[in-house]
Amino acid sequence: MKKLFVKTYGCQMNAYDSARMADLLAPLGYGPSDTPDGADMVILNTCHIREKAAEKVYSEIGRLRTLKAQKAESGGQMLLAVAGCVAQAEGEEIVARAPAVDLVVGPQSYHRLPEMIARFARDGGHPLAADFPALEKFDALVETKETGISAFLTVQEGCDKFCTFCVVPYTRGPEHSRDPEAVLAEARHLVDLGARELVLLGQNVNAYDGGGWTLARLCEGLARIDGLERIRYTTSHPRDMSDDLIAAHRDNDKLMPYLHLPVQSGSDAVLEAMNRKHAADDYRRIIERLRAARPDMALTSDFIVGFPGESDADFEATMQLVRDVGFATAFSFKYSKRPGTPAAALRKQVAEDVKSARLEALQALLTRQQHEFDDSQIGRTLPVLFEKPGRDEGQLVGRTPYLQPVHVQMPAEMIGRIADIRIERRTANSLHGSPI
Ligand code: SAH
Ligand code: SF4
Ligand code: F3S
């Protein structure tokens, strides 16, 4: 068995793709390895979203070069592939800058890896596959042989929204939804393998359009699968938060009361400059409607601070939006200039120290809200789906409907099952409880 090491950066969609690449290479005799030491093939599945993410790739290639040389000295060969969004955005540059890299493959072309590996063995050189034959990719994937209790399932890919700060429309290509029957078939297969929760993935997952099937209808179809207990989806865009999806949170018992709905900013001027095409109050209204449909809805979001031109008043509007909504958790980032995006060319870039101060203030508020949300569960009894063993002897880790991790003393056979757990206390990032 040859050893394959895959390192994943970036979003859940990359995690899904990494697993699919491993599936594709299994028939070629590659088995998973959890270290690059001695690996016969290493795939870096990269992310281009912020400058730091993209830079990591080149330093990682530098480290791998040594391992590759060692492997060659011992008479072996380590194939090094760069996949993902950096490969898509900077494929030619990687080929020019990093001769240690043997293969470069974009997020819509990785189904061609087996063929590329064969060609590389025959001819050498630097095959580069970075086009967008999205329809072709999903048809060419091979069935997976294993799954966790919670499994990712990509249903939609790409983005046509062109927020002015974002590289995704350029790295993932145009919006494209998978055929609902193919999604349902993959879902049944994952449930047969033991998955109890599915997380539907898409860059704009709530824009899902499977030839008349909306995301709400897809969730309805999925809910009919016996053995599937929980359905989640991510990431959504406020503009696509349709009435039927909001109603599904009331009517579909398997759809969890949890939504990641990035808003980015609470300032209308900044939202406009970002090309988000909605105002802060539109977002507030969506949240009201969601909470009317499902009062215990837990909300999470993404924020960017220091977008070009963001004033103190704009930032304060973001803080006010956070206070008004109340988030269960959230991600926040300093604006990072991305080559080729419209915002990178704007003249009024925000100074680094101002960005840092704003990020700190926002994160302090969001952390406080997270702790308040977690604390509000103490004393309650919640259905927890157990996913894996915990760090302590006899302990399992599961998740509440609101995605909070819970540590409980539980027999191992409860993995994959739901039990009512009384929540007793909180530590920094998780809850602890006991079965009732
Ligand atoms: N499709 C999702 C987001 C994908 S990127 C959506 O529309 O919300 C994940 C998050 O990264 C974004 O929500 C945004 O908050 C952040 N992000 C994207 N580009 C960024 C940039 N140039 N600088 C800083 N953060 C960025
Ligand atoms: Fe990027 Fe905007 Fe598309 Fe999300 S909606 S992926 S932030 S361009
Ligand atoms: Fe990163 Fe590409 Fe995902 S840029 S966030 S890996 S879509």
Side-chain angles (χ1 to χ4, degrees):
M1 184 72 106
K2 289 180 277 190
K3 283 199 253 171
L4 168 69
F5 175 71
V6 186
K7 182 156 183 174
T8 309
Y9 304 81
C11 60
Q12 293 104 324
M13 197 153 304
N14 261 12
Y16 177 87
D17 291 341
S18 288
R20 298 295 75 74
M21 288 190 266
D23 289 342
L24 280 163
L25 297 186
L28 277 64
Y30 288 94
S33 160
D34 48 19
T35 158
D37 295 316
D40 299 283
M41 175 151 191
V42 172
I43 302 177
L44 302 179
N45 196 11
T46 61
C47 173
H48 201 243
I49 201 82
R50 283 168 291 273
E51 197 178 348
K52 269 203 196 113
E55 269 171 2
K56 278 186 203 155
V57 179
Y58 289 100
S59 47
E60 188 65 33
I61 293 172
R63 279 194 291 276
L64 289 167
R65 216 170 45 201
T66 319
L67 290 180
K68 195 177 160 106
Q70 281 166 5
K71 182 91 181 171
E73 265 166 39
S74 65
Q77 188 190 26
M78 175 203 276
L79 270 181
L80 177 55
V82 178
C85 290
V86 179
Q88 187 64 45
E90 301 177 8
E92 305 283 355
E93 196 185 330
I94 295 169
V95 169
R97 246 177 86 175
V101 174
D102 303 305
L103 304 168
V104 179
V105 63
Q108 308 299 357
S109 318
Y110 64 75
H111 56 292
R112 283 154 52 188
L113 266 176
E115 163 208 326
M116 289 168 73
I117 292 171
R119 189 146 30 100
F120 182 81
R122 214 168 47 235
D123 311 329
H126 275 288
L128 171 73
D131 41 10
F132 291 128
L135 286 165
E136 193 189 291
K137 179 180 81 182
F138 286 105
D139 293 339
L141 296 183
V142 301
E143 245 185 12
T144 192
K145 293 208 168 48
E146 51 176 30
T147 176
I149 299 303
S150 177
F152 292 140
L153 204 181
T154 295
V155 304
Q156 181 276 342
E157 242 185 300
C159 181
D160 297 334
K161 294 209 165 57
F162 292 94
C163 301
T164 54
F165 52 81
C166 183
V167 295
V168 171
Y170 313 99
T171 64
R172 291 273 166 173
E175 222 166 276
H176 159 75
S177 296
R178 287 179 70 187
D179 170 48
E181 294 303 336
V183 172
L184 290 168
E186 186 169 334
R188 282 186 216 105
H189 178 64
L190 287 166
V191 173
D192 285 346
L193 289 174
R196 293 293 166 262
E197 171 178 280
L198 293 177
V199 185
L200 309 181
L201 300 181
Q203 263 90 26
N204 277 277
V205 73
N206 58 341
Y208 178 83
D209 175 8
W213 287 58
T214 60
L215 186 65
R217 184 167 166 207
L218 187 65
C219 291
E220 225 178 280
L222 290 166
R224 282 191 216 107
I225 298 176
D226 281 337
L228 179 62
E229 305 283 358
R230 292 181 169 186
I231 304 168
R232 303 177 185 277
Y233 60 91
T234 198
T235 297
S236 297
H237 193 292
R239 269 162 63 200
D240 298 311
M241 212 57 230
S242 57
D243 292 339
D244 70 334
L245 189 54
I246 292 175
H249 279 282
R250 181 191 59 214
D251 302 331
N252 187 336
D253 293 339
K254 293 188 180 177
L255 196 56
M256 290 294 101
Y258 174 95
L259 179 65
H260 182 61
L261 192 62
V263 63
Q264 316 298 355
S265 169
S267 150
D268 289 344
V270 172
L271 287 169
E272 162 124 39
M274 287 176 162
N275 192 34
R276 294 290 288 184
K277 296 212 171 82
H278 65 79
D281 279 346
D282 297 328
Y283 189 84
R284 286 185 178 87
R285 267 195 297 275
I286 293 168
I287 303 304
E288 276 166 24
R289 282 160 56 215
L290 277 162
R291 285 186 168 147
R294 181 79 207 224
D296 63 338
M297 197 79 183
L299 290 153
T300 86
S301 198
D302 292 343
F303 295 90
I304 294 178
V305 300
F307 184 82
E310 184 188 70
S311 66
D312 286 339
D314 291 323
F315 176 65
E316 175 48 32
T318 299
M319 295 290 277
Q320 191 54 47
L321 181 79
V322 173
R323 286 183 214 110
D324 290 348
V325 172
F327 290 96
T329 103
F331 300 97
S332 45
F333 314 97
K334 287 190 222 175
Y335 168 71
S336 168
K337 226 170 152 174
R338 305 310 292 129
T341 58
L346 294 174
R347 281 186 25 249
K348 281 166 66 187
Q349 299 287 329
V350 174
E352 196 54 33
D353 57 333
V354 175
K355 285 189 202 173
S356 301
R358 288 179 186 167
L359 187 68
E360 202 180 310
L362 177 60
Q363 288 187 339
L365 175 60
L366 290 167
T367 305
R368 209 154 59 233
Q369 289 194 343
Q370 180 180 335
H371 288 168
E372 277 166 21
F373 179 74
D374 288 346
D375 288 344
S376 74
Q377 311 298 338
I378 295 172
R380 289 185 68 192
T381 299
L382 296 174
V384 171
L385 171 59
F386 288 96
E387 292 182 10
K388 57 182 186 210
R391 232 179 292 144
D392 298 345
E393 186 70 28
Q395 192 186 52
L396 299 184
V397 189
R399 292 198 183 255
T400 69
Y402 317 109
L403 209 62
Q404 299 149 295
V406 191
H407 293 76
V408 187
Q409 291 299 123
M410 268 283 181
E413 57 268 24
M414 284 305 290
I415 291 179
R417 289 162 63 187
I418 295 177
D420 282 336
I421 299 299
R422 196 180 149 80
I423 307 300
E424 287 158 348
R425 63 194 172 89
R426 163 177 73 76
T427 49
N429 284 308
S430 69
L431 298 172
H432 297 256
S434 347
I436 54 160

